Amino acid sequence: MSIQERRERERAHRHRLIVKTARELAETEGWEAVTTRRLAERIEYSQPVLYSHFAGKDAIVTAVALEGFEELAGVLSRARASAATPAEALAAAARAYTDFADANPALYDAMFTLTTDLPFGRPDSPAPLKAAFGELLTVCASAAGDRDAETFTEVAWSALHGLVTLARGGRLRAGQRDQRLGLLVGQLLATPDRP
Amino acid sequence: MSIQERRERERAHRHRLIVKTARELAETEGWEAVTTRRLAERIEYSQPVLYSHFAGKDAIVTAVALEGFEELAGVLSRARASAATPAEALAAAARAYTDFADANPALYDAMFTLTTDLPFGRPDSPAPLKAAFGELLTVCASAAGDRDAETFTEVAWSALHGLVTLARGGRLRAGQRDQRLGLLVGQLLATPDRP
DNA sequence: TCTGTTGTCTAGCGCTGCTAGGATAGCGTC
DNA sequence: GACGCTATCCTAGCAGCGCTAGACAACAGA
């Protein structure tokens, strides 16, 4: 059995190598530079090897995205743990979220712009997705007050996502990042007037 | 001079035909179906004709996006005109924005996801961009109170953009659109606690 | 040592955006 | 009315893309 085990170990190692290399290549040269040929060259194997590990290029991007959701969940979890009050937790999570996106632009693109086939908010969702959204839900729920927690989470998440993506394309004024984040968190924590 | 005028007229007509066809093709079959070959076939000219009108495929997408910004400005303007109070105007604009994005998904993608070279918020920005953002700024400024109008506008816009894009990818619960929009507008109109 | 399986590579398909160079149509001029 | 020129358009092709069929080599078991 030892031989087969070694092979499986090597396969797993190469699997991780493909994902790691794709991510690095995307982060340094952008996703348009991530072609199956260049990826194969980087891992020092031929193209078809990629297809023995993944169904196609999309599956590789998805694998990178899953890594991203895992890391995002960790980042949000730490932010939440570092805060004393629900309001502080929301502010910390918001900052952690945008910092994460800014630090890993290609990864963020894989998670939200390139990948379309990851099922969200469903029983069969991959664990990292559930974890990441679960973290968001936890931190938002404790700050939601009498508003619907899930709706509140979706709105907060959307706002953060919008800030990240619009800022990325140069659509928002550079250097005003903190002001926007502060205003957003302030509005989310405010108590709406009862009409 | 009449001959040259006719030719210029024909050129202008064909220019519009290309943009119109690209938009239709994208809206019915998605942007991945908009290839230079298929586009050329649809307009009943050969491929190189496209390149006598546009520098490349990106330029065609950009032209479609500009059309979108023009229409968005009109939609927002009408929403603002239909409202009596600043709060109503903000709510109407938010609804108009998301309705516009939902009704023209491919157009919205061209404006915000595919096009990256349109300069925003700069003196040399194309007029439609200035008009669209100007409408947003107007409606947000009157609802901003003592908050910085431009920052408030950027945050509101980001939130709407986030709602649209996340909902598109199935990332948000279907059927909760109105609840999210209502909650967002309520939060934006709320007065934050003074810390 | 031979055989069958497993794994990898070479070569190639149909597609993409884009372009060089030849053919053609229609103008202004004689 | 015939000619030459210019502007326009098309055919054909390039390099690169994602992906795959089939040849080939390496290796486990008999």
Side-chain angles (χ1 to χ4, degrees):
Chain A
M1 273 300 174
S2 162
I3 288 161
Q4 194 165 351
E5 280 176 9
R6 174 183 54 85
R7 285 190 169 168
E8 281 172 12
R9 223 164 40 229
E10 286 172 354
R11 264 195 80 78
H13 174 259
R14 203 169 52 181
H15 192 98
R16 286 195 305 273
L17 178 65
I18 292 171
V19 177
K20 174 168 159 275
T21 306
R23 177 174 174 178
E24 283 174 0
L25 195 52
E27 214 64 80
T28 54
E29 303 184 41
W31 277 108
E32 71 279 359
V34 182
T35 70
T36 55
R37 277 169 236 272
R38 296 187 62 174
L39 191 50
E41 191 185 7
R42 286 266 180 128
I43 65 168
E44 296 179 319
Y45 281 94
S46 69
Q47 266 182 302
V49 167
L50 300 175
Y51 294 88
S52 75
H53 285 271
F54 298 94
K57 193 191 167 186
D58 286 355
I60 299 176
V61 178
T62 299
V64 173
L66 276 181
E67 238 186 55
F69 281 106
E70 218 158 327
E71 292 178 21
L72 178 60
V75 159
L76 291 177
S77 172
R78 283 191 291 279
R80 185 163 57 87
S82 74
T85 68
E88 276 181 26
L90 185 68
R95 174 159 296 279
Y97 187 97
T98 51
D99 283 350
F100 174 82
D102 289 349
N104 312 281
L107 184 62
Y108 195 84
D109 280 343
M111 294 161 67
F112 291 110
T113 308
L114 302 174
T115 303
T116 56
D117 56 346
L118 277 175
F120 258 76
R122 293 232 305 271
D124 59 332
S125 293
L129 265 72
K130 285 184 181 171
F133 188 74
E135 283 296 334
L136 269 176
L137 188 60
T138 304
V139 74
C140 285
S142 61
D146 55 356
R147 293 158 295 194
D148 179 67
E150 209 158 342
T151 307
F152 184 72
T153 305
E154 289 184 334
V155 169
W157 181 26
S158 298
L160 290 172
H161 177 66
L163 280 179
V164 165
T165 51
L166 288 182
R168 175 88 49 87
R171 254 81 174 192
L172 305 179
R173 293 168 301 159
Q176 304 288 313
R177 216 187 73 117
D178 290 356
Q179 282 86 339
R180 287 190 291 267
L181 210 54
L183 194 147
L184 171 64
V185 173
Q187 293 304 136
L188 288 175
L189 291 173
T191 310
D193 309 331
R194 284 256 151 253
Chain B
M1 271 303 172
S2 160
I3 290 161
Q4 197 165 350
E5 279 175 9
R6 175 183 55 81
R7 285 190 170 167
E8 282 171 11
R9 222 164 41 231
E10 287 172 354
R11 262 194 80 78
H13 175 258
R14 201 169 52 183
H15 191 97
R16 286 195 303 274
L17 177 65
I18 292 171
V19 177
K20 174 170 159 276
T21 307
R23 178 175 171 177
E24 283 174 1
L25 195 52
E27 213 64 78
T28 54
E29 303 185 40
W31 277 109
E32 70 278 359
V34 183
T35 70
T36 55
R37 274 169 238 272
R38 297 187 63 174
L39 191 49
E41 191 185 5
R42 287 265 181 130
I43 65 167
E44 295 180 320
Y45 281 94
S46 68
Q47 267 182 299
V49 167
L50 300 174
Y51 294 89
S52 75
H53 285 271
F54 298 93
K57 193 191 167 186
D58 286 355
I60 299 177
V61 178
T62 300
V64 173
L66 277 181
E67 240 185 52
F69 281 108
E70 219 158 325
E71 292 178 22
L72 178 60
V75 159
L76 291 176
S77 172
R78 283 191 290 280
R80 184 163 56 88
S82 74
T85 67
E88 277 180 27
L90 185 68
R95 174 159 296 278
Y97 188 96
T98 51
D99 283 349
F100 174 82
D102 289 349
N104 312 280
L107 185 62
Y108 195 85
D109 279 344
M111 294 162 66
F112 291 110
T113 307
L114 301 174
T115 303
T116 55
D117 56 346
L118 277 175
F120 258 75
R122 294 231 305 270
D124 58 334
S125 293
L129 265 72
K130 285 183 182 171
F133 188 73
E135 283 297 333
L136 270 175
L137 189 59
T138 305
V139 75
C140 285
S142 61
D146 55 355
R147 292 158 295 193
D148 179 66
E150 210 158 341
T151 306
F152 183 73
T153 305
E154 290 184 334
V155 169
W157 181 26
S158 298
L160 290 173
H161 178 66
L163 280 181
V164 165
T165 51
L166 288 183
R168 178 87 49 87
R171 252 82 174 190
L172 305 178
R173 292 168 300 158
Q176 304 289 312
R177 216 189 73 118
D178 291 356
Q179 282 85 339
R180 287 190 292 266
L181 209 55
L183 194 147
L184 171 63
V185 172
Q187 293 304 135
L188 289 174
L189 290 172
T191 310
D193 309 329
R194 286 254 152 255

